[in-house]
Structure formats: structure tokens, C-alpha cells
Amino acid sequence: MNSLGEYIALIIILACLVLSALSAVLIRGQITTIIVLSVFSVLCAVLFAMLQAVDVAMAEAVIGAGFLTALFVTAADKTRGQGS
Amino acid sequence: MNQSYDTSKKIRHLLAGIFTLSLGASLIWLILEATGMPLTPDLGYVMNSVGDTGSINVVTAILMDYRGFDTLGEASVIFTSVAVTAAILAEPVFTLERPILSIITRRAIAYLVPVFFMFPLYVITHGHLSPGGGFQGGVSLAVLVILTHVVFGHNLAMKKIPFSLLTMGEYWAALSFGILGLLGIFTGVGFLANLATGVPRGIPGQLLSGGLIPVLNLIVGIKVAAGLSSLYITLEGNPRRKK
């Protein structure tokens, strides 16, 4: 990391990561939590891409934001109204 | 008794909070330190990977050649999870058609789907040249199968991409990965060996290069795509359990 601008962008992304992780736990409602988790994954992918790990960034974006969201939404839909 | 329970709970929450905060702070410190460090990975891999494997992408060279056995284990993890899901849940049947999206969305997605399919195919076939590889492209293909299910409804999607095709892809990809690994044993150099088996190397940087790496990428891509999309279809095709 060589320039100040990249450093500031890194700090902002790290802060947003902490915020989205906290809000995924604190927010009420299953669907909202799932969407916030996918936002977390996208931020993680951006972070990996900034740290020159493009392979990992691609895997994180596709799995975390795409596939896991679909699986979680399906599971939430199938188990709606059971438990809390 | 109630009060002591409350205090112990408070102490536990306090300890958990301190632990989590310190973990997060140390993680941020670690990342900031790591970004300031000069890049000094294991130079042996970086210097020799093109000569050893014929693959320009060092990450793919490590995943598919130096550590091909780990990739086999990773693929069998997915295979196991799909097998367990299929054993617990029943075979997917779609009797009730879910409400499909409007005609505008369906037409727009229908024009875009071929373009969407080009991206994972590019990622899989160029795994040894550019970032990505079989795993990333395979998950993208699985997500596209989910997209066709969500947009066009289950009946049309099951007609276009039959479930038996997905299970066949899963079985045969797993089998052919092992058979390709046995090629190294028959030529006497070791399980999952690549260039030492005598396969043509090709010119590094071209599409057909790197010995067995493109073939392994293709197999892993088919396997991951078939496994993950059949996981979704199995989950979606089972009725909601009554309480």
C-alpha cells in the first residue's frame, strides 16, 4: 500500500466491515440479516481485491454474495413461522 | 440465586465483549501491518511455477499442481455435503409452481442469460491464465442455475437443466478427477503429477498450456457447479415441514 488515498479507503472499508457485521447480529428479521451478510461479503471481496488477492476476492464475491444468499433465503422460506 | 445468575451472566458478557473487541483490534492491526510489508511470498513458487507447471497464474499452479491433492479433498467435501443432503431430504419434486416474475423481467433475463453464461465459462477455461479457476467459475454456474429457477419457474428450469444431468455431472467429474490422478501412478511419478507424466506442456500464456491444469480446472468447475446447484434444487424441491 503506497498512497495515502488507498490507506484511507482501506480504513473506510474496514470500518464498514465491522459495522455490517455488527448490524447483521443486531438487526431484527431474517431476510434483512441475510442481505446485510451479503453486503459484508461484498465488502470482504473488495478488501481482498485491494490486497492483491483477486482469486480469493472472486471466490468470496461469488459464494458469499451470490450462492449463500440464495441458500439462506431458501432455508428461511422453508422454515418460516417455526421457532422465533 | 437469581441475582447471582445475573451477575455471572454480566461477567460472561463483559468477558465476551472484551475478547471480541481485542480480537477485532488485533485483526485490524494485522491487516494494516500486512499491507505495509513488502511482498515476500515463498519465492520458490513464484520463480519456478511457470517452469514447473506451465501455468502463468501462480495461485492456480499451486491449487491444481503442487497441492492437487488438497483440491481433491476440497472437492470431496462438497461431494459429501451434497450426498448427505440428498440422503436426509427426499428427491426434489415441484408440484406447486411458485409465482414467477413478470414478462418484462423474464424477457430481459432471457436475452442476458447467454452473456451471463460466458463469464463462468471464461473463468473456468482461462483458470491458468487469469484470476479465477474451476472453483470460482463452478460456483458462478451454480448461481446461474439458481437464477433460471427463480426467474423462469421450476418447471421450465427443470426441463432445460434436468436434475439427472446435474447428478451425472457430479459423479463423473469426481470419478474423472481420480482417474486423471491415477495417470501419474501409471507413469511412475506419483498421484496427481502434472508435467512429469509426459503430457505436452504447450507454450505458457496460451490457452492450451500447462499440461493437465486446464483439464483439472474444467473437471472441478463441472463438479462444483453440479454439486452446489443440486444442493439448492434439493432444498427448494422439498415441501415445508409441518410443525
Side-chain angles (χ1 to χ4, degrees):
Chain A
M1 216 41 60
N2 31 29
S3 72
L4 185 67
E6 286 183 22
Y7 195 74
I8 293 173
L10 193 67
I11 300 275
I12 292 174
I13 289 178
L14 285 176
C16 289
L17 267 179
V18 174
L19 271 181
S20 59
L22 269 180
S23 48
V25 179
L26 295 179
I27 282 179
R28 287 274 163 201
Q30 279 178 329
I31 299 294
T32 325
T33 305
I34 292 164
I35 299 302
V36 171
L37 264 183
S38 80
V39 170
F40 176 83
S41 285
V42 169
L43 284 174
C44 235
V46 173
L47 185 67
F48 287 144
M50 281 181 69
L51 298 177
Q52 311 274 313
V54 192
D55 285 75
V56 189
M58 204 179 268
E60 175 70 36
V62 169
I63 296 172
F67 183 69
L68 274 187
T69 310
L71 267 197
F72 281 155
V73 168
T74 312
D77 180 46
K78 290 290 169 189
T79 57
R80 205 187 320 133
Q82 299 177 12
S84 60
Chain B
M1 175 212 165
N2 206 0
Q3 198 178 3
S4 69
Y5 175 72
D6 274 354
T7 20
S8 74
K9 205 175 172 186
K10 261 180 200 166
I11 289 172
R12 223 184 317 149
H13 280 184
L14 192 68
L15 283 179
I18 290 173
F19 176 72
T20 316
L21 280 181
S22 53
L23 198 67
S26 55
L27 198 64
I28 289 177
W29 179 79
L30 259 181
I31 290 177
L32 290 185
E33 281 293 301
T35 54
M37 273 197 295
L39 277 175
T40 54
D42 189 356
L43 284 177
Y45 286 131
V46 176
M47 292 297 168
N48 302 327
S49 72
V50 176
D52 282 350
T53 67
S55 156
I56 290 181
N57 186 357
V58 185
V59 179
T60 304
I62 291 175
L63 276 178
M64 295 291 166
D65 189 319
Y66 295 112
R67 299 281 178 269
F69 197 67
D70 290 11
T71 307
L72 180 60
E74 195 177 290
S76 39
V77 166
I78 295 178
F79 187 81
T80 314
S81 65
V82 172
V84 168
T85 313
I88 292 175
L89 297 175
E91 190 159 336
V93 275
F94 295 106
T95 48
L96 271 176
E97 182 62 276
R98 64 194 290 277
I100 50 179
L101 300 177
S102 71
I103 178 98
I104 299 172
T105 320
R106 270 182 289 150
R107 275 295 95 198
I109 297 292
Y111 285 122
L112 282 175
V113 155
V115 189
F116 285 165
F117 267 99
M118 281 181 66
F119 172 69
L121 290 182
Y122 174 84
V123 169
I124 291 175
T125 50
H126 290 70
H128 52 304
L129 304 178
S130 60
F135 193 75
Q136 288 91 336
V139 184
S140 308
L141 274 180
V143 172
L144 281 177
V145 174
I146 297 175
L147 178 81
T148 53
H149 268 262
V150 170
V151 173
F152 301 109
H154 294 304
N155 290 336
L156 184 65
M158 288 292 270
K159 211 181 290 169
K160 293 288 178 196
I161 309 164
F163 192 61
S164 55
L165 181 77
L166 295 178
T167 47
M168 276 294 156
E170 175 84 9
Y171 298 149
W172 285 108
L175 207 60
S176 49
F177 198 112
I179 289 173
L180 267 183
L182 286 182
L183 188 64
I185 287 187
F186 287 137
T187 49
V189 281
F191 191 60
L192 276 174
N194 182 13
L195 286 182
T197 57
V199 289
R201 165 207 288 272
I203 302 165
Q206 288 187 350
L207 187 58
L208 290 175
S209 67
L212 290 178
I213 290 180
V215 188
L216 285 183
N217 261 329
L218 199 63
I219 289 173
V220 171
I222 292 173
K223 187 167 159 36
V224 170
L228 292 187
S229 51
S230 60
L231 198 65
Y232 168 79
I233 292 173
T234 315
L235 275 183
E236 183 72 38
N238 271 273
R240 188 186 301 165
R241 291 283 162 85
K242 297 285 181 295
K243 234 178 190 177

